[in-house]
């Protein structure tokens, strides 16, 4: 079946949360241990993390979650076009030149000169085009993939494709789907056998959050009891997760709107899950236990966070194990899925039988 145009799924001018997936060509192990050649390419995962940090600091898009494996990666992005629309011309030009720098200094983008800024500010057509790009996930993915492919091909002395032709996008429409998708992304390395626990899942958002909150050498279950001591936490500017969106949102007390961040490392201080980090970790660890071979784990009571979703244990485990297979273009409860239409043709999106069964069972 032909893959739909992303413009049928995502409107860059509207706030959107989207799960994106991209694979290396022929699913080769071009970013980890290659079992055929014995080569290790983990350093390419670091290249991706560096670019993710830069993009999160300058795009009008937030990075909620990520996981980088040996032959593919997952991201959850949240676009903020309304915020981009309020930026002045100079801010638009500066941000773009930090993403696509005219010059580099010590491997980092150099601050743009007035002449470089004026080349964008004084060209209304180009300025409008760049403003649209800054909140467009397709441009985030295009530039990310292009940079990594070019650098990897130089290293390998190759000139062919590094990535498959197109990345896959799934628009996320409700809180339950977002939580399931976040768990799917953060547990990806455990599920793939690259890590035994979430705290060992390097090159992932959950690893960055755990390291920032509890320290790199701390066992999470022990550290969670002392995490309330704010004096033990690192300064935000030194945290590994400083470029990630804040995890927790308090819908009753947090300010309404975008909550633009004062930090130069991320766009907003708005969270995205109605859970604390400790509650989220508890849910992830319980999910891992349920997937293990130890049948005794099935007697453990599910966390409160799962009960709040209205999903059964079976539905939750199935979604977290195969989110990208259950949902094709949009992830949501069944009533929302049935009402969704292509932006270009008005046609309904395909809904898998498994999605109908799982999300229809939600209370």
């Amino acid at each position: 079946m032909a893959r739909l145009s992303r413009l049928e799924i995502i409107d860059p001018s509207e706030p959107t949360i989207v799960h994106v997936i991209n694979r290396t060509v022929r699913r080769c192990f071009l970013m980890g241990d290659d079992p055929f050649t014995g080569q290790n390419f983990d350093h390419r995962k670091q290249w991706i993390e560096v670019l993710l940090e830069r993009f999160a600091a300058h795009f009008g898009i937030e990075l909620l979650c990520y996981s980088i494996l040996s032959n593919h990666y997952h991201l959850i992005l949240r676009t903020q076009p309304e915020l981009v629309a309020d930026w002045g011309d100079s801010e638009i030009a500066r941000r773009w030149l930090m993403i696509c720098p005219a010059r580099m200094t010590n491997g980092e983008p150099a601050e743009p000169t007035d002449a470089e800024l004026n080349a964008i500010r004084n060209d209304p057509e180009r300025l409008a085009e760049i403003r649209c790009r800054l909140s467009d996930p397709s441009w985030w993915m295009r530039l990310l993939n292009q940079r990594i492919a070019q650098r990897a091909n130089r290293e390998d002395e190759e000139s062919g494709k590094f990535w498959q032709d197109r990345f896959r996008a799934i628009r996320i429409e409700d809180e339950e789907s977002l939580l399931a998708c976040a768990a799917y992304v953060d547990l990806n390395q455990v599920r793939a056998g690259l890590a035994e626990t979430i705290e060992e899942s390097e090159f992932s958002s959950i690893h960055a959050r755990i390291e920032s909150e509890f320290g790199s050498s701390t066992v999470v279950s022990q550290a969670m009891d002392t995490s309330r001591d704010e004096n033990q936490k690192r300064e935000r500017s030194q945290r590994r997760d400083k470029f990630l969106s804040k995890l927790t949102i308090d819908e009753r007390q947090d300010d309404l709107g975008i909550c633009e961040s004062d930090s130069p490392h991320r766009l907003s201080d708005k969270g995205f899950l109605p859970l604390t980090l400790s509650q989220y970790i508890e849910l992830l660890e319980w999910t891992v236990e349920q997937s293990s071979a130890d049948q005794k784990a099935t007697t453990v009571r599910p966390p409160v966070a799962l009960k709040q979703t209205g999903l059964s244990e079976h539905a939750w485990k199935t979604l977290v194990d195969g989110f990208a297979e259950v949902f094709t273009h949009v992830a949501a409860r069944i009533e929302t899925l049935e009402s969704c239409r292509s932006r270009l043709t008005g046609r309904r999106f395909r809904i898998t039988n498994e999605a109908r069964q799982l999300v229809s069972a939600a209370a």
Side-chain angles (χ1 to χ4, degrees):
M1 184 180 68
R3 189 174 296 180
L4 294 180
S5 163
R6 284 182 290 270
L7 287 175
E8 295 194 56
I9 306 168
I10 303 170
D11 184 350
S13 67
E14 295 182 357
T16 304
I17 297 178
V18 60
H19 170 219
V20 294
I21 312 160
N22 209 39
R23 293 186 180 275
T24 56
V25 67
R26 297 183 301 280
R27 301 193 179 187
C28 294
F29 295 86
L30 298 175
M31 299 186 297
D33 288 315
D34 189 328
F36 303 104
T37 66
Q39 287 183 278
N40 179 271
F41 299 102
D42 274 350
H43 60 283
R44 292 176 178 172
K45 298 178 183 179
Q46 295 173 337
W47 297 351
I48 295 178
E49 282 194 330
V50 169
L51 286 172
L52 290 178
E53 290 194 36
R54 185 189 305 172
F55 286 10
H58 300 294
F59 264 98
I61 298 174
E62 298 173 83
L63 179 61
L64 308 189
C65 298
Y66 74 95
S67 186
I68 308 169
L69 288 85
S70 296
N71 60 7
H72 69 287
Y73 66 83
H74 298 260
L75 311 177
I76 303 179
L77 305 175
R78 179 168 62 185
T79 69
Q80 298 288 6
E82 295 177 353
L83 182 57
V84 177
D86 288 338
W87 288 340
D89 295 350
S90 295
E91 183 69 4
I92 293 293
R94 185 192 68 81
R95 285 176 175 268
W96 186 252
L97 288 170
M98 295 302 290
I99 297 168
C100 300
R103 294 167 296 106
M104 300 289 286
T105 302
N106 298 324
E108 295 293 325
E111 281 292 332
T113 64
D114 281 340
E116 292 164 350
L117 292 170
N118 286 335
I120 296 176
R121 290 183 298 204
N122 297 336
D123 186 338
E125 186 174 339
R126 187 182 180 199
L127 185 68
E129 182 180 27
I130 289 174
R131 190 182 293 274
C132 291
R133 290 178 181 179
L134 285 174
S135 59
D136 187 346
S138 290
W139 271 94
W140 172 300
M141 295 295 289
R142 175 177 177 172
L143 294 174
L144 177 64
N145 291 337
Q146 186 182 74
R147 307 280 173 81
I148 297 302
Q150 290 174 345
R151 189 170 179 181
N153 280 343
R154 284 196 302 269
E155 182 179 70
D156 292 341
E157 298 182 349
E158 294 284 353
S159 58
K161 287 185 177 181
F162 186 84
W163 304 105
Q164 290 183 359
D165 287 342
R166 301 173 61 195
F167 68 88
R168 185 179 170 202
I170 302 173
R171 195 174 78 227
I172 300 174
E173 287 290 303
D174 59 31
E175 191 175 271
E176 295 82 7
S177 299
L178 178 55
L179 176 57
C181 188
Y184 170 74
V185 171
D186 278 331
L187 290 176
N188 218 267
Q189 296 188 36
V190 175
R191 187 167 52 252
L194 298 179
E196 292 187 4
T197 63
I198 55 174
E199 58 264 35
E200 294 173 357
S201 299
E202 294 186 325
F203 307 107
S204 71
S205 48
I206 189 60
H207 183 269
R209 294 186 194 279
I210 288 173
E211 184 176 319
S212 297
E213 197 76 5
F214 306 119
S216 58
S217 61
T218 306
V219 177
V220 175
S221 58
Q222 296 174 349
M224 283 166 61
D225 294 333
T226 61
S227 64
R228 296 183 183 87
D229 187 354
E230 296 295 331
N231 294 326
Q232 293 181 357
K233 296 181 182 179
R234 301 178 185 180
E235 292 295 327
R236 172 61 57 183
S237 61
Q238 299 175 332
R239 292 172 62 115
R240 275 282 298 114
D241 65 351
K242 62 182 181 293
F243 64 101
L244 293 172
S245 172
K246 182 181 174 183
L247 179 80
T248 304
I249 183 171
D250 188 329
E251 296 174 340
R252 291 177 296 179
Q253 297 187 23
D254 287 354
D255 294 335
L256 298 176
I258 298 170
C259 300
E260 186 171 4
S261 179
D262 292 330
S263 168
H265 303 290
R266 66 186 185 193
L267 185 68
S268 164
D269 286 331
K270 194 82 168 181
F272 64 97
L273 293 179
L275 304 174
T276 64
L277 178 59
S278 294
Q279 290 171 331
Y280 182 56
I281 290 171
E282 180 187 21
L283 178 60
L284 295 182
E285 291 183 332
W286 176 84
T287 304
V288 171
E289 289 175 358
Q290 302 311 297
S291 301
S292 70
D294 184 2
Q295 295 301 310
K296 293 181 180 180
T298 60
T299 64
V300 178
R301 295 178 106 188
V304 174
L306 176 60
K307 295 180 180 179
Q308 292 174 344
T309 67
L311 294 169
S312 68
E313 293 182 32
H314 168 71
W316 170 258
K317 287 184 285 187
T318 304
L319 287 176
V320 173
D321 283 343
F323 187 90
E325 286 71 46
V326 172
F327 298 111
T328 55
H329 305 106
V330 179
R333 291 178 179 269
I334 189 62
E335 58 269 22
T336 302
L337 288 177
E338 291 180 335
S339 67
C340 286
R341 299 290 188 275
S342 161
R343 294 182 54 249
L344 301 182
T345 66
R347 292 180 299 183
R348 288 186 177 184
F349 295 119
R350 185 174 72 88
I351 304 174
T352 67
N353 291 332
E354 195 166 32
R356 288 186 181 277
Q357 294 170 3
L358 294 175
V359 296
S360 294

